[in-house]
Every structure is written in C-alpha cells, then in structure tokens.
Amino acid sequence: MAGTPMLEIKNLGKRFPARAGREPPPWIIQDMSFEVAAGELLTIVGPSGAGKSTLLNIIAQIETASAGEIVFDGEHIASPEQKALHPGLNRRIGYVTQDDNLLPWRTTIDNVLFPLEVQGTLDDAARARAQELIGAVGLAGFERYYPHELSGGMRKRAALIRTLVYDPPMILMDEPFAAVDAQTRTQLQEDLLRLWSLKRKTIIFVTHDITEAIALGDRALVLTQRPARIAAEHPIPIPRPRQVKDIFTMPGFAAIYAGIRADVQ
Amino acid sequence: MRWRVWFDRLLVLLILLAAWQGGSLWLGNYWLSAPWSVATRFFAALFNGEMVFHAGYTISEALAGSVIGGVPAVLLPFLLRRQPIVVAILDPFMVGGYGAPKLAFAPLFILWFGIGIESKIALVAAVVFFIVYFSTLSGVRALEPKLVQMAQVIGASERQVGRHIVFPGAVPAIFAGFRIAVPYAIGGAVIAELISSNRGLGYLVQTGAMNFDTTQVFVAILAATIIVHAFIAVIDLGERFLLRWRPRGAVLIADHGT
Ligand SMILES: Nc1ncnc2c1ncn2[C@@H]1O[C@H](COP(=O)(O)OP(=O)(O)OP(=O)(O)O)[C@@H](O)[C@H]1O
Ligand SMILES: [Mg+2]
C-alpha cells in the first residue's frame, strides 16, 4: 500500500447550485479527504442521503466539485466548471451507477457490448469475454432480453459487467448488489473478489451494508450524514482469499463490525 | 377482447351508415348522397382506373411533401441539440410557422410554384414540417441525462451519443409527429387541388360540387379517409418494428392515440 496513491481527494466540498425561492444550498460534502492506493479495494459506508453517489459522480467527472482537489494518477481533475470535466477520464474510470442506466432499446448482450462498440474494440475475443461475463453473473439465456424484461437484480448485474467488459483501471461501484437476494449477492461478491484478485483493479465500492463493506474491503470509510465527511476509517485486516459466506466466523469480524456500527449514525 | 372491439366497430359503422341513409332519404339524394350510391360509384371508379388516377396523384403529393418537410424537421432538432441559444432564437418563428393557418397559403403557393404538382407538394411540406419539428424537438428534449452521462463515462463521442442515445430515445416522438401529420398532409394536398388542379381527389371534390354531384364529393372524401387510415397503418407497422424494445403496455397505450 506504499507509494503514490492512485486517487487523492483533498478537502473536497460540494454544494449544488442555488435555486430561486430556496435557502442557500447546503454543503452536501464538506472538507473530505482520503486516498486510494493502486490495486486497493476501498469500501465506503454511509447512511442514505449522505452524499455517496454525489462523491462517486464527482470522481467519475460527471459532476463538478465546489471546493478542494482530486488527483488521479498525478493529474489534477476536479473542477467547478462542467465544461472542464472529462467524464470517465478517457476510459480510465469505470462507473457502475446506482441506477442501472441500461439502454432500453438494446438487449442484454448489446448493452454489455455497448462500451466495446463505442470504443471500437469489438472483435470476436471481446464477444467471447462478454459472453463469459454474462455466464459468470448468471445471465446466460437472457442475452436477447430487453431491459424491461429483466428483473431489477438482473439489470444491475448486466450494468456491472457492462463496465467490467472494457477493463478500466479504476472502477467505482454504487451499491451494485443492493437489489439482489442474499444468496445471489454472496455469489456476486465472491465473483467480484475473484476477478479483483486476478486483475487487481482499484475499486471504490459504496454500500450501506456493513457486512458487505467488511467482506470486500481492504479498508472501510464511514461517512457522516449532511454534510458528508469521513467519520472514521477502519482497516480490515482479514486475510485473503476470503470466503464471503463465512465472513462472520473470521477472527476480528465482530470487532470491526461493532466499530463501524458505532460510527454509522 | 380483440373480437369484441371489431364487433363494436362494425356496429358503430352500421349506425353511422344508417344515420347517413336516413338523412339522405329525408333531405333527398341531391343534397346528401346515400351510402349505397357512394359505394357503387366508389367501386366503379376503383375498377375503371379513375380512382387510381386521382388518388395516386394526391398520394404522390402527400408522400413527396412529407419527405421534403419531414426529413429536415427530424434532422434540425438533432443538429441544434448542442445549440440551445439557436433553438431559443428560432422558437418564436417556429411557433409562428406552426400556428399560422398554412392552408390559407395555398393560393400563394400556387402563385409561386404554378398550378402543377409542385405547389401542392410545397403546401404539404410546410404543414408537415412544423408538426414533425415540434414533436421531434420534444423527443430530443425528453432525453434521459443519466444515459448520456453513462455513455460519456464509457468514452462515447458527441456523435456517438447522438446516434446511440439521443436518436433511439427520440424515435417514439418522431413517429408520433408523423402520425399526427398524416391527416394534415392529405388534407393539405386535397385543399391545394381544390383551388386549382385538373387531377387529384381535391379536383374530384371541386368538379363534383360544381356539377351538384354530392355523390362524387363523398367518394373523394371517402377515398381521402381511407388513404389516411392506410398511411397510419403503415406508420404503426414501422413503429411496432422499431419500438419492439418497449414494454407491451406502452405500445398499447400509444395505440389508443390513433
Ligand atoms: N442534482 C442535485 N441537486 C440538488 N441536490 C442534490 C442533487 N443530487 C443529490 N442532491 C442531494 O445530495 C444529497 C446526497 O445525495 P446522494 O444521492 O449523493 O446520496 P447517497 O448517499 O447516494 O444516498 P443513497 O444511499 O440513498 O443512494 C441528498 O440530500 C440530495 O438531496
Ligand atoms: Mg446513492
């Protein structure tokens, strides 16, 4: 974990523009600082409405920052100007958003292939990789379904592999497994850990499930509610490879859980 | 369910025909032609080629005008998508063009483009353009910004966003625009022919009225109505194919609009 961090957030602040007839806009995020090392899997826990999605939007460069700095791989990227933003930082930051944002006029397979099509890297090898990912998240047989014909959880899985398929070095994930039943979720978490152990992506994983944050993360950040700040940072020294379904039984789990629990209001 | 609808439609048709027949008996065939005479004349005209001659002319005008007016009306909102200021500047003029009674321009168009097919096409194009423009514009504006952001994060260029996100998203609105425009396109062609033409359904109406031949007037109106139905059926077919990704419920709701 030594060396220069992949991502540095320094004194980040965010408030949305004022609207006529409303009191001055509140700070949604204020004075937030943290770092993410290359190859780290950082989890962020926070109550609903804390500003987790807003934070990821700012990192993904689709939302402006009102104050502070963000340094990605040595490059200063934060800006209060919408025009100065580069969404996805030239494909280096992938973003699995809270809403699936699948294109309703494309089938599952065409949605998954969409990034490759746009990036001009669609070939047989890429198709095979997409097909493999579809199988890995249990969507085999649903390739030709349109999004409205899939369940909420299936749509989220499709959105997840749409980002994995083009292999960006850093991936932001906003509660990707929230709409999935417990068994499938455990399965997906294990799959994610396996993929991550192979490729060592840098991942920021937002969730409000404390167990999930512990099972996946190298480290967990806890956010405060309004304005969002870092309430606490919890290292998760549980050795890898981890068995997600037995995570409760790992030594140290109970203590970390209790610690995070106490910090989440 | 489907059966029931068809049966009831038939019933409504019979009631309308009965009312028409009653009115004709009461007022006399001279003032209000009877359904039977209209039907006989309609089929006679259909089989002796007269109908094809006149209706074909009107259909060509409506088609040519719809293409000439409709294509720029579809393209313009896409080209201006990144130029909200230009759209705002144009807006009052577009609203003016939309609101102006364009059929009243028919004599002017005939003055400018002559009594041939060109003036009729020009009138149809002017009518179709504004309807389709506003419909497409509303489709482009109803764009889901989150889908655009998703595409940008993935690395899509402005052009790719237009092609893969904005255009497919606006297709329902484009179809709605053309569907609304169909009766106006046929109507525009017929009105222009009424004023000055030696061919077309409008010409049939005109000569029929001049000769106190109400049957011929009704035959022409019937033909125009059937053409409108046929156009809309074709549009529906295209829509059903292009919008097969939509939930079935949504397609049904759209169908009620016809
Ligand atoms: N475009 C916007 N304009 C104004 N306020 C906004 C906007 N987007 C978000 N907010 C506000 O920012 C706050 C944080 O929202 P955000 O979506 O980041 O929360 P979150 O932590 O992701 O919550 P959840 O867990 O429910 O997804 C909320 O109070 C919300 O009202
Ligand atoms: Mg959120």
Side-chain angles (χ1 to χ4, degrees), chain B residues 93-117:
Chain B
F93 303 101
M94 289 296 184
V95 172
Y98 181 66
K102 280 165 293 294
L103 298 185
F105 281 90
L108 275 182
F109 280 135
I110 287 165
L111 197 66
W112 295 335
F113 297 103
I115 57 166
I117 198 167

Side-chain angles (χ1 to χ4, degrees), chain B residues 245-256:
Chain B
W245 51 268
R246 283 211 296 196
R248 287 244 357 150
V251 173
L252 274 181
I253 289 161
D255 279 355
H256 286 297

Side-chain angles (χ1 to χ4, degrees), chain A residues 16 28 47-55 98 174-175 208 226:
Chain A
F16 286 97
I28 304 293
S48 183
K52 305 182 295 295
S53 300
T54 307
L55 172 66
Q98 189 163 15
D174 198 349
E175 305 187 26
H208 46 223
R226 280 183 164 256

Side-chain angles (χ1 to χ4, degrees), chain A residues 18-54:
Chain A
R19 265 212 230 173
R22 274 202 209 163
E23 64 273 24
W27 288 93
I28 304 293
I29 296 172
Q30 201 169 33
D31 203 20
M32 181 187 283
S33 302
F34 63 91
E35 294 179 356
V36 190
E40 186 180 8
L41 204 169
L42 176 73
T43 51
I44 297 182
V45 196
S48 183
K52 305 182 295 295
S53 300
T54 307

Side-chain angles (χ1 to χ4, degrees), chain A residues 118-162:
Chain A
V118 159
Q119 298 169 2
T121 54
L122 187 55
D123 53 23
D124 286 345
R127 266 178 222 282
R129 195 167 67 240
Q131 194 58 52
E132 197 180 315
L133 284 168
I134 284 178
V137 297
L139 285 176
F142 294 95
E143 291 90 345
R144 306 256 154 254
Y145 281 52
Y146 287 100
H148 79 265
E149 297 167 322
L150 300 176
S151 75
M154 292 161 95
R155 284 202 294 270
K156 292 207 92 162
R157 282 179 264 160
L160 175 70
I161 58 176
R162 174 180 59 189

